[in-house]
Amino acid sequence: MAGLNMQVWDRKRWQTERDKAGVSKGACSKISVGSELDKFHKAYAKDYVTAAKQAKVLKGKLDTYCASVKKKHPKFEKLIKDRLMFYTTNYISAIEGISASMTTYPDELKEARTQWARMASAYSEWKGSAREGEAFKHPALKPLCESMLQSGNAAKNLALLNPKYKAHGDALAKLGSVLDGGAFNEKIGDKIDQVLKMSV
């Protein structure tokens, strides 16, 4: 979890913002936002799956709190929505992205490697009969490009958990973009081979 950006307020920050806005403790008798924030940070220290579930609970509690104080403290209600609610929602979205990518990344990478094997074979055959100055063009370029871009995006989502994924994702996406531009030669092929052999 060390790589995941944390912006959701803790209890101390909540109390500071609440007091600064002149809102009394217990303004919403049904909700103790401080306690809910404690629960979230406790879950966050455990693992991201537990934290994501608790973040959804926190968001629901914040909705209830905002509805309760909106009429009497509209500025504070807006602050909660613009900051605390925003950070909480972003956290939930980030974790959902990570969860999806943990499933798709291995499959996308496997597909990229499959497409590269097909492409490398086609290039090897073409090279033996290519005329001087002739550019390599093959239908295999497009699926290889797509699979590298997709696996790159999935890897970059996982960078929130481990920065090493970002380097791999950036390299995959960069080469995918090169292929998308229609460029391919032996030097590019060597780089693709190297990147697809990388493991995180």
Side-chain angles (χ1 to χ4, degrees):
M1 294 297 291
L4 189 58
N5 186 26
M6 261 304 299
Q7 294 178 303
V8 178
W9 297 352
D10 57 14
R11 178 189 282 265
K12 184 177 180 180
R13 174 70 185 276
W14 163 258
Q15 291 173 341
T16 299
E17 296 293 346
R18 184 196 64 205
D19 294 347
K20 193 191 302 181
V23 179
S24 61
K25 181 180 179 181
C28 175
S29 58
K30 298 177 183 179
I31 306 291
S32 169
V33 176
S35 294
E36 296 302 325
L37 290 169
D38 283 345
K39 291 176 186 176
F40 169 76
H41 284 283
K42 184 178 180 180
Y44 177 79
K46 185 178 180 182
D47 63 76
Y48 74 88
V49 175
T50 305
K53 291 177 182 177
Q54 196 59 47
K56 290 179 181 178
V57 173
L58 173 61
K59 185 177 180 298
K61 299 290 185 179
L62 290 173
D63 282 332
T64 301
Y65 185 92
C66 284
S68 178
V69 302
K70 182 177 182 178
K71 188 174 181 180
K72 193 173 181 181
H73 303 284
K75 288 184 179 180
F76 187 51
E77 185 253 1
K78 185 177 185 304
L79 177 67
I80 294 171
K81 287 188 173 181
D82 289 350
R83 300 287 182 83
L84 182 53
M85 188 84 80
F86 176 76
Y87 297 146
T88 303
T89 302
N90 274 1
Y91 181 84
I92 294 169
S93 297
I95 295 306
E96 287 176 347
I98 287 173
S99 297
S101 292
M102 285 185 73
T103 301
T104 61
Y105 172 66
D107 292 337
E108 297 289 0
L109 192 58
K110 182 179 179 181
E111 176 63 16
R113 286 168 174 160
T114 299
Q115 292 298 339
W116 168 236
R118 179 186 170 208
M119 174 76 170
S121 176
Y123 181 74
S124 180
E125 289 180 16
W126 169 86
K127 188 179 176 183
S129 59
R131 295 185 297 272
E132 186 177 349
E134 182 183 359
F136 176 73
K137 293 181 180 180
H138 194 277
L141 271 169
K142 185 175 181 181
L144 175 61
C145 166
E146 290 175 351
S147 62
M148 291 195 70
L149 288 171
Q150 289 167 359
S151 57
N153 288 334
K156 284 190 280 188
N157 279 337
L158 294 175
L160 290 168
L161 292 182
N162 184 340
K164 290 182 180 179
Y165 280 109
K166 184 178 185 307
H168 196 201
D170 285 344
L172 286 165
K174 182 177 180 180
L175 287 168
S177 295
V178 168
L179 293 174
D180 195 34
F184 184 83
N185 54 43
E186 198 159 338
K187 187 176 179 181
I188 293 171
D190 288 343
K191 288 181 179 178
I192 292 172
D193 192 59
Q194 181 182 3
V195 168
L196 288 177
K197 287 177 178 176
M198 287 171 61
S199 60
V200 179

